[in-house]
C-alpha cells in the first residue's frame, strides 16, 4: 500500500490502513448484530460513498437483514460541502414499522444525515439508527445523532475506501488524507 499518492496535483498521505479499517468494520458488524438480534433491519446505504463500507459491513453482520440505497448530492466535484442536499435516488423499500439503519461513509457538516433523518422519519420506521465509518466531529454545522462510529477524525479531507475526490479514487483500499496545511487552508476557506 503506497504511503503517499497524488490526485489532481494534491498530495495525500496514508491515514487509515486497509487492516485497521477491516478490523474496525468487523467490530461494528458484530456490535450491530448483537444489538439487532431477533430483528430484521434494513440497511440503507447513502450512495455513492458508502457502497464499499456497506458491502464490508453487512458481510460481518450475522443476522437476517435487507439492504437498499439512497442517493444524495451535496459536494459536486469540490472538496468543501456546498451545503445544498438534494435527493437523486429515492428508496425502493417499505420503511413503515421497520428497523432502519442508515449507512454513511463520513459525517462532515451533518447536513446530509439531518436530511436523511427528516426524510426517513416521515415514513414512520419502528426504529432508526445511523452508522458512519468516519465522523469529523469538529466540522459539524448541526448536531445529529450518530449511533455507531468507525473512527472520529479531525477536520481532514479524506479519500479512498468509497470516498472520492472529484469522483476519482473510490477504489483505494486504504483511506488517505490531504496534508495538514492544505486541509487547514480549506477549512479556513470553508468558514468564510
Ligand atoms: P455532510 O453533509 O457535510 O455531512 O457530508 C456528507 C457527505 O459529503 C459524505 O457522505 C461524503 O460523501 C462527502 N464528504 C464529506 N467529507 C468528505 C471528505 O473528506 N472526503 C470525501 N467526501 C467527503
Ligand atoms: Mg456520502
Amino acid at each position: 500500500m503506497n504511503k503517499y499518492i497524488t490526485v489532481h496535483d494534491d498530495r495525500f498521505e496514508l491515514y487509515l490502513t486497509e487492516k485497521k479499517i477491516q478490523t474496525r468494520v468487523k467490530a461494528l458488524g458484530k456490535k450491530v448484530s448483537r444489538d439487532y438480534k431477533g430483528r430484521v433491519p434494513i440497511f440503507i446505504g447513502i450512495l455513492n460513498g458508502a457502497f464499499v463500507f456497506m458491502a464490508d459491513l453487512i458481510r460481518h453482520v450475522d443476522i437476517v437483514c435487507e439492504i437498499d440505497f439512497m442517493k444524495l448530492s451535496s459536494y459536486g466535484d469540490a472538496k468543501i460541502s456546498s451545503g445544498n442536499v438534494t435527493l437523486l435516488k429515492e428508496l425502493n423499500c417499505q420503511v413503515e414499522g421497520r428497523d432502519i439503519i442508515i449507512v454513511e461513509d463520513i459525517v462532515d457538516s451533518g447536513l446530509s444525515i439531518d436530511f436523511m433523518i427528516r426524510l426517513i422519519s416521515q415514513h414512520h420506521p419502528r426504529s432508526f439508527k445511523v452508522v458512519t465509518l468516519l465522523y469529523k466531529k469538529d466540522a459539524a454545522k448541526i448536531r445529529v445523532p450518530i449511533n455507531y462510529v468507525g473512527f472520529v477524525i479531525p477536520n481532514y479531507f479524506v479519500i479512498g475506501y468509497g470516498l472520492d475526490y472529484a469522483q476519482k479514487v473510490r477504489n483505494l483500499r486504504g483511506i488517505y488524507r490531504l496534508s495538514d496545511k492544505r486541509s487547514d487552508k480549506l477549512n479556513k476557506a470553508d468558514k468564510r
Side-chain angles (χ1 to χ4, degrees):
M1 189 170 277
N2 290 336
K3 187 147 193 291
Y4 295 97
I5 54 163
T6 301
V7 189
H8 296 301
D9 292 334
D10 283 320
R11 192 170 144 93
F12 289 81
E13 183 182 351
L14 183 61
Y15 181 54
L16 297 169
T17 61
E18 180 180 10
K19 194 170 166 209
K20 200 163 178 185
I21 296 168
Q22 291 302 331
T23 303
R24 188 69 191 120
V25 173
K26 185 175 177 179
L28 283 176
K30 298 284 168 227
K31 172 100 177 81
V32 172
S33 306
R34 279 198 302 276
D35 293 354
Y36 283 84
K37 202 165 178 216
R39 318 235 296 257
V40 182
I42 309 176
F43 289 88
I44 300 177
I46 311 300
L47 294 171
N48 291 331
F51 83 107
V52 178
F53 172 44
M54 173 112 151
D56 284 345
L57 180 72
I58 60 158
R59 283 177 292 171
H60 289 296
V61 167
D62 56 14
I63 54 168
V64 179
C65 64
E66 296 175 24
I67 66 148
D68 198 356
F69 289 96
M70 286 184 86
K71 186 162 178 159
L72 304 179
S73 166
S74 78
Y75 264 43
D77 279 350
K79 291 200 254 355
I80 300 166
S81 177
S82 65
N84 297 319
V85 182
T86 53
L87 189 60
L88 300 176
K89 182 206 167 290
E90 252 290 8
L91 278 178
N92 298 110
C93 64
Q94 204 66 38
V95 166
E96 194 172 334
R98 300 297 304 271
D99 295 304
I100 304 297
I101 305 173
I102 296 289
V103 183
E104 255 291 24
D105 48 358
I106 186 165
V107 174
D108 184 0
S109 67
L111 293 170
S112 304
I113 278 295
D114 183 62
F115 181 89
M116 287 295 309
I117 292 172
R118 286 164 200 268
L119 200 96
I120 298 286
S121 306
Q122 286 168 12
H123 292 85
H124 311 292
R126 176 174 183 264
S127 73
F128 178 81
K129 283 192 182 177
V130 177
V131 50
T132 185
L133 179 69
L134 305 173
Y135 185 20
K136 290 189 203 172
K137 225 171 182 169
D138 300 338
K141 289 197 175 119
I142 39 171
R143 278 213 167 277
V144 281
I146 312 289
N147 306 93
Y148 304 97
V149 177
F151 304 92
V152 175
I153 65 165
N155 211 350
Y156 294 135
F157 180 73
V158 286
I159 55 166
Y161 196 71
L163 292 149
D164 71 304
Y165 181 8
Q167 300 306 324
K168 310 277 190 316
V169 296
R170 294 189 194 273
N171 51 323
L172 292 169
R173 303 176 79 101
I175 291 176
Y176 291 73
R177 69 169 170 87
L178 199 58
S179 71
D180 276 347
K181 275 187 197 143
R182 295 277 295 123
S183 282
D184 197 44
K185 252 189 211 163
L186 283 167
N187 291 334
K188 276 184 191 138
D190 197 18
K191 285 186 187 102
R192 256 178 235 141

